[in-house]
Amino acid sequence: MKLLIEMKNSSKAICNKASQIRNSKIKCVYFPEGCRSNIGCVHNRLINSTDTNYILSWDARYIYNEMHSIAMLAKIYIETGVKIISPCDASLCHSTTGSLHIPMTGRRQLTALPGVFPQTPLSKVFPDCYQSTMFPPVYLASHQTLKNQLWDENLPTAHHTDFMLSVSQQHYATLVCKDLLVSYTPTCEDFQSKKQSNLKDEWLDMSPEAFVKWNISDVFNGLGKIISFNSYKKMSTFTRSWKALSSNAMFVEGSFDQRLQIAVTDKINDQRPGWEAVRIYKDGVHNLTYIESSPCIVHVKGQLHVEYDRHKSFPNKNGMMEVDQHHLNRSCHIFRDYWRMTSFGKLKKKNVYYVTALSNDTVYMERLLHTLDSQQDVANTYLVIVDMGRAREKFDLNKYHLRIKVDYIHLGAPFSRSIGLRKGFDYAMQLSASKGEANPLLFAIDNSVTVPVDFTRRVMHNTRCGISAYAPICKRMKDDGEYWAQFGYGMVGVCASDYNKAMGWNPTWGYHVGAEDVDFIARLQTTIPYIVRVREDNYIHSHSEQHRINNLYYKTKNIYPGKLPVIPTSRVEVDSALLAALKAYALRLIKSPVPLDLQTVYVTSVANSLGVVYDLRFKDEMNEGYYALVESI
């Protein structure tokens, strides 16, 4: 590749080392010191006069940790096809803010949002590169990209600040690579200047001229600093700490301390496997501090005393957990610029085939029959029973008068849930095919649960082929207490085509208790974009206390050998401002010929990301249901 390195502040060391890069034709252009006051003009002349394919713009006050990084930067730039690529400022990469973005509101405010960008789709190839519109004044771009976005020659300083804001408004695809670091080495004059202005280590080189141009009066930097521009070339700085959080769905019940602790634990659990979910330790002492860094961000740090979120009969432990989180108030206007509607459709009425594997559980099986026979959508409710008990103790269906359709298979002992469910799912798909149905809905259900009367309808609406599976969270009754079984995925609804893509229940777990559901949900998560995991009222699991006829199954308890999957829970959104904005956004894109009324919105975090999925549910005048999925940072 032909690469021109544009050197500011006259440093030949970078060019000398860069010239050693193989397979590159490198030419360096040095800005004379006297041009510093009109750097925009010099930059534009260079862009307009060169025929070089690519330009690496370089402020020589930044030093690369490793010079081969230039070659790596060029390689990633070519292979990803982005507009601009940059190394990461070492001081920023090591801070708590992570990747940053700089959106502007309509209120003359500029806000630095910490870590709001998910990894790009190309992150599988380059896992340490993130989208970010904030980057140091060391970046690589094509000649054409820079020609399309020239620098402002009328600004005396902060041309790079202005360039970043311009790039942000152009929505250029910009990558910052965290493994490729540059370090800032200020001169004594720079250091004293920043120290005196109380802006040392700020994320932006403050320039009143640039911000007057962009009509910005306040800058919120994500670290608690608020810089207000009172007049041209005049500014003041201050820090403030608030005793109340921004309105948000996570902070709606109880006292402020309770709301804060719930918000923190929810955020922790959204990034942890279900078996490692935590809750507040009721006798613990907590030490949390919070700063409203901007109108849209709350920064929480400190320690929280937690314990595993399990029933008291499970082995448990408690301890202090370090907390360093940014909570985004998603009702803020700036987040709406990053919504993306990915799917819209009608909620169809389809047959639901429940499958249960049992072994001599007559009492619990009778209860399951009763709860399914009471479904409002009884005509769409089917049950396949796979009996894995002794032949002499077969479950007798003849004594029950049922409205639902029930098919019975006697597989025989020994009991194995994964083998029984696989057999039952295969049978249900064959049964539906014989009826001429395409893509039936399948739901693995335990015979020890009771479900609400509209549960079949919930399975229909939350199990959407190619879009979502449904793994609702039940409440477990045990001993003298109850708890939400957040860690369980065994009762799950899935479309037949998605089930087959995930290769179904694995008989490998046939004679081990405990991991067949983890194994299946982990594979399902790779084949379907979204899993609805809402806590359902009146969805109750009561323990049987019986060990079925397979001693090996219960003595050989499994420890899942792979990495436990992270399946965040779904919550009902209650922020009225956010609900109104989501409704208006979706309806504008849907353009429905009939009026649609928003009924509810489920919000689900995206694992290992700050992103969320909004699952909007609508009804029309005929009571027909519709859905829209909106993704957000």
Side-chain angles (χ1 to χ4, degrees):
M1 65 182 293
K2 292 174 65 178
L3 174 66
L4 181 143
I5 301 182
E6 172 192 24
M7 303 298 299
K8 308 179 187 71
N9 296 327
S10 303
S11 174
K12 296 185 179 182
I14 297 295
C15 189
N16 292 338
K17 291 183 178 180
S19 63
Q20 301 170 15
I21 298 175
R22 296 179 181 179
N23 302 322
S24 297
K25 296 179 180 179
I26 297 212
K27 176 183 178 183
C28 294
V29 176
Y30 302 95
F31 282 358
E33 198 70 31
C35 293
R36 180 65 176 168
S37 61
N38 195 12
I39 193 172
C41 177
V42 177
H43 172 87
N44 292 344
R45 287 177 190 168
L46 174 66
I47 300 302
N48 288 323
S49 62
T50 185
D51 60 352
T52 309
N53 309 66
Y54 306 97
I55 295 176
L56 179 65
S57 184
W58 195 289
D59 188 322
R61 291 175 297 181
Y62 281 84
I63 297 177
Y64 250 127
N65 295 12
E66 298 288 343
M67 286 313 302
H68 74 269
S69 296
I70 295 179
M72 181 59 69
L73 203 68
K75 177 179 184 294
I76 299 174
Y77 180 85
I78 296 294
E79 295 188 17
T80 57
V82 296
K83 294 291 187 180
I84 298 174
I85 191 168
S86 177
C88 193
D89 186 328
S91 62
L92 183 62
C93 280
H94 294 154
S95 72
T96 60
T97 54
S99 58
L100 293 174
H101 184 57
I102 45 175
M104 282 177 282
T105 73
R107 302 176 181 177
R108 303 187 67 197
Q109 296 174 343
L110 182 71
T111 301
L113 301 177
V116 297
F117 270 115
Q119 292 179 326
T120 66
L122 298 164
S123 62
K124 293 181 180 178
V125 183
F126 305 106
D128 292 299
C129 294
Y130 295 81
Q131 271 193 300
S132 178
T133 52
M134 292 189 67
F135 47 93
V138 178
Y139 54 87
L140 175 64
S142 71
H143 176 230
Q144 190 59 49
T145 296
L146 296 179
K147 195 170 184 178
N148 292 342
Q149 188 58 67
L150 295 172
W151 286 21
D152 188 341
E153 299 180 17
N154 296 316
L155 292 178
T157 59
H159 300 86
H160 176 66
T161 300
D162 177 71
F163 178 67
M164 282 198 302
L165 292 170
S166 300
V167 165
S168 177
Q169 296 306 293
Q170 294 292 337
H171 302 291
Y172 280 175
T174 307
L175 287 187
V176 173
C177 296
K178 298 181 73 173
D179 268 2
L180 309 178
L181 297 177
V182 289
S183 299
Y184 181 69
T185 57
T187 63
C188 291
E189 183 180 351
D190 292 327
F191 181 83
Q192 290 299 326
S193 173
K194 290 201 171 197
K195 185 175 181 181
Q196 290 172 5
S197 65
N198 199 29
L199 291 175
K200 183 176 178 290
D201 295 329
E202 282 301 313
W203 58 275
L204 216 48
D205 179 18
M206 296 301 166
S207 168
E209 294 89 351
F211 291 116
V212 167
K213 170 188 171 181
W214 287 94
N215 195 29
I216 296 170
S217 60
D218 297 300
V219 177
F220 300 87
N221 72 350
L223 299 175
K225 291 285 186 178
I226 302 172
I227 294 86
S228 295
F229 295 87
N230 299 322
S231 61
Y232 189 75
K233 290 189 177 182
K234 191 174 182 181
M235 56 186 165
S236 60
T237 65
F238 60 94
T239 303
R240 63 183 177 185
S241 176
W242 284 33
K243 292 296 182 184
L245 296 177
S246 303
S247 61
N248 190 285
M250 292 186 294
F251 314 132
V252 294
E253 297 178 355
S255 68
F256 172 75
D257 286 341
Q258 290 173 331
R259 299 197 308 269
L260 176 62
Q261 291 165 15
I262 290 171
V264 170
T265 52
D266 280 348
K267 197 172 184 70
I268 291 170
N269 290 334
D270 282 343
Q271 306 302 328
R272 292 164 68 89
W275 275 104
E276 298 176 7
V278 297
R279 64 188 175 209
I280 302 296
Y281 186 59
K282 63 179 181 179
D283 297 323
V285 177
H286 316 292
N287 179 24
L288 293 176
T289 60
Y290 38 89
I291 297 175
E292 188 168 21
S293 315
S294 80
C296 303
I297 307 169
V298 175
H299 189 189
V300 181
K301 294 186 68 174
Q303 292 182 320
L304 192 66
H305 201 159
V306 298
E307 64 179 349
Y308 283 120
D309 191 8
R310 300 171 181 166
H311 189 264
K312 64 182 180 180
S313 61
F314 283 92
N316 210 341
K317 62 180 181 180
N318 66 81
M320 301 299 293
M321 178 173 283
E322 293 292 330
V323 173
D324 190 348
Q325 301 174 348
H326 286 87
H327 290 266
L328 309 183
N329 179 7
R330 297 184 184 276
S331 61
C332 273
H333 185 273
I334 56 175
F335 290 109
R336 303 174 196 175
D337 293 338
Y338 306 101
W339 288 350
R340 182 168 65 100
M341 193 167 78
T342 58
S343 182
F344 169 74
K346 190 172 183 178
L347 295 171
K348 300 176 181 179
K349 201 165 189 176
K350 301 182 70 173
N351 289 335
V352 176
Y353 292 82
Y354 294 95
V355 178
T356 188
L358 66 93
S359 177
N360 312 116
D361 279 347
T362 303
V363 173
Y364 287 93
M365 194 61 230
E366 286 181 346
R367 191 176 63 183
L368 178 63
L369 287 173
H370 173 74
T371 189
L372 291 181
D373 205 50
S374 302
Q375 288 298 297
Q376 293 172 349
D377 295 281
V378 67
N380 302 99
T381 304
Y382 290 75
L383 175 64
V384 175
I385 300 173
V386 182
D387 192 342
M388 305 185 76
R390 298 185 184 95
R392 65 176 182 270
E393 297 176 351
K394 286 184 179 181
F395 187 76
D396 184 9
L397 273 174
N398 295 324
K399 60 181 180 180
Y400 302 99
H401 300 284
L402 302 169
R403 298 185 301 159
I404 61 171
K405 299 86 175 173
V406 182
D407 280 77
Y408 175 85
I409 306 169
H410 186 261
L411 204 59
F415 177 81
S416 164
R417 188 171 186 269
S418 63
I419 293 176
L421 289 177
R422 187 177 185 90
K423 180 69 175 178
F425 272 48
D426 288 345
Y427 182 90
M429 288 187 284
Q430 293 170 9
L431 182 62
S432 68
S434 70
K435 300 176 183 294
E437 297 175 355
N439 252 346
L441 305 183
L442 311 169
F443 193 94
I445 191 167
D446 287 352
N447 56 60
S448 51
V449 300
T450 56
V451 299
V453 294
D454 62 343
F455 194 70
T456 294
R457 181 74 57 89
R458 299 186 195 191
V459 177
M460 293 178 193
H461 288 180
N462 291 298
T463 310
R464 291 157 289 186
C465 299
I467 295 174
S468 65
Y470 180 46
I473 301 172
C474 68
K475 184 171 287 186
R476 287 199 174 183
M477 315 296 292
K478 189 171 183 179
D479 303 330
D480 58 346
E482 59 184 42
Y483 64 103
W484 290 104
Q486 185 168 316
F487 50 80
Y489 317 109
M491 291 184 285
V492 56
V494 62
C495 188
S497 58
D498 297 324
Y499 171 80
N500 289 327
K501 285 180 185 177
M503 297 182 293
W505 297 98
N506 189 350
T508 301
W509 307 107
Y511 299 105
H512 296 74
V513 62
E516 76 283 342
D517 55 342
V518 178
D519 170 70
F520 179 62
I521 205 79
R523 283 182 284 112
L524 187 62
Q525 194 178 35
T526 65
T527 61
I528 199 166
Y530 170 44
I531 298 176
V532 182
R533 293 209 66 223
V534 67
R535 294 178 176 184
E536 297 285 18
D537 291 330
N538 300 317
Y539 180 41
I540 298 171
H541 182 285
S542 297
H543 287 257
S544 166
E545 306 299 339
Q546 292 184 11
H547 281 188
R548 297 166 181 83
I549 310 304
N550 183 355
N551 291 329
L552 177 64
Y553 181 79
Y554 285 95
K555 289 182 178 177
T556 314
K557 293 207 172 187
N558 174 74
I559 297 176
Y560 184 66
K563 186 177 180 181
L564 288 170
V566 177
I567 318 288
T569 59
S570 308
R571 305 178 185 93
V572 176
E573 182 59 66
V574 296
D575 187 325
S576 58
L578 181 56
L579 290 172
L582 282 167
K583 177 182 177 180
Y585 170 80
L587 291 179
R588 186 171 66 250
L589 296 178
I590 294 169
K591 298 179 181 178
S592 173
V594 297
L596 296 180
D597 185 37
L598 183 65
Q599 299 293 302
T600 190
V601 174
Y602 295 123
V603 55
T604 307
S605 296
V606 178
N608 303 315
S609 165
L610 284 179
V612 297
V613 175
Y614 297 110
D615 191 347
L616 287 70
R617 305 298 176 87
F618 296 93
K619 281 188 178 180
D620 63 14
E621 295 173 336
M622 302 300 293
N623 212 31
E624 297 286 344
Y626 300 82
Y627 71 89
L629 293 186
V630 176
E631 293 181 356
S632 173
I633 57 174

